[in-house]
Amino acid sequence: EAGVAQSPRYKIIEKRQSVAFWCNPISGHATLYWYQQILGQGPKLLIQFQNNGVVDDSQLPKDRFSAERLKGVDSTLKIQPAKLEDSAVYLCASSLGRLAGGIGETQYFGPGTRLLVL
Amino acid sequence: AQSVSQHNHHVILSEAASLELGCNYSYGGTVNLFWYVQYPGQHLQLLLKYFSGDPLVKGIKGFEAEFIKSKFSFNLRKPSVQWSDTAEYFCAVNAGSNYQLIWGAGTKLIIKP
């Protein structure tokens, strides 16, 4: 079974530039998550989709971050404009989505995108 | 706000030593508890999880964890570690009004051969 795919793997940009990350979840997984992991910390949920609807985006900085999951499969996460403190690994994960909100479900992670903002 | 604490950021052990990694959470309601592991150069993957029932949960590669509700803890254990257990271990909890997964900061485990 193919895992969660993410691209690019690495990205270096200057502050105030924009950047986009792409995620393709495991086939058949209805729930998709985007996490931000800053060095030395655990992942922090940015946004959670159930199919193409948003379940939770309470920690997404909406003034600069946006995400979409058109057609309920692939997803993109965008940062515009980027700040120095956005330097982090951006993880995408997916789960079956059979339980409400994905509660208790195993999440399957992609390799992450390492972003460095200069 | 809900939080998850992992007591040790770095642990160094010799092969065959016993392992216990601490995890405490701050939420008084129903919780689901997870341990994820990230081996060097690999993705995060599930080690074990507690959903309901027997509070002693067994996972892959000989790991187990015990949910002690009265202590708000879900410590990870392994009786005899191997060099291949070198990895970063994360505790996570589904909790709160929206049940999002809240993660600890992780524990880097190094096993000396």
Side-chain angles (χ1 to χ4, degrees), chain A residues 85-100:
Chain A
E85 58 261 36
D86 298 331
S87 293
V89 176
Y90 290 85
L91 296 167
C92 180
S94 68
S95 67
L96 279 169
R98 292 191 184 145
L99 300 175

Side-chain angles (χ1 to χ4, degrees), chain A:
Chain A
E1 158 181 277
V4 176
Q6 289 187 249
S7 67
R9 293 293 308 277
Y10 305 91
K11 191 74 178 178
I12 301 174
I13 61 172
E14 296 191 347
K15 60 183 179 184
R16 291 189 290 273
Q17 286 187 322
S18 62
V19 64
F21 312 127
W22 172 83
C23 173
N24 181 238
I26 291 174
S27 177
H29 280 196
T31 307
L32 185 146
Y33 313 79
W34 282 103
Y35 289 93
Q36 180 192 59
Q37 186 176 15
I38 291 171
L39 190 63
Q41 299 180 20
K44 182 183 86 170
L45 181 70
L46 293 175
I47 189 166
Q48 178 180 339
F49 292 96
Q50 179 77 11
N51 297 307
N52 59 352
V54 175
V55 173
D56 185 352
D57 64 356
S58 57
Q59 297 193 95
L60 186 74
K62 297 180 187 64
D63 57 334
R64 297 184 302 105
F65 286 65
S66 64
E68 60 182 11
R69 193 184 182 197
L70 301 175
K71 302 180 182 178
V73 181
D74 293 7
S75 177
T76 55
L77 175 70
K78 296 178 182 176
I79 308 174
Q80 182 179 8
K83 292 185 175 182
L84 296 176
E85 58 261 36
D86 298 331
S87 293
V89 176
Y90 290 85
L91 296 167
C92 180
S94 68
S95 67
L96 279 169
R98 292 191 184 145
L99 300 175
I103 297 168
E105 292 190 334
T106 298
Q107 295 184 20
Y108 296 84
F109 285 81
T113 296
R114 192 174 296 274
L115 174 68
L116 179 61
V117 183
L118 301 174

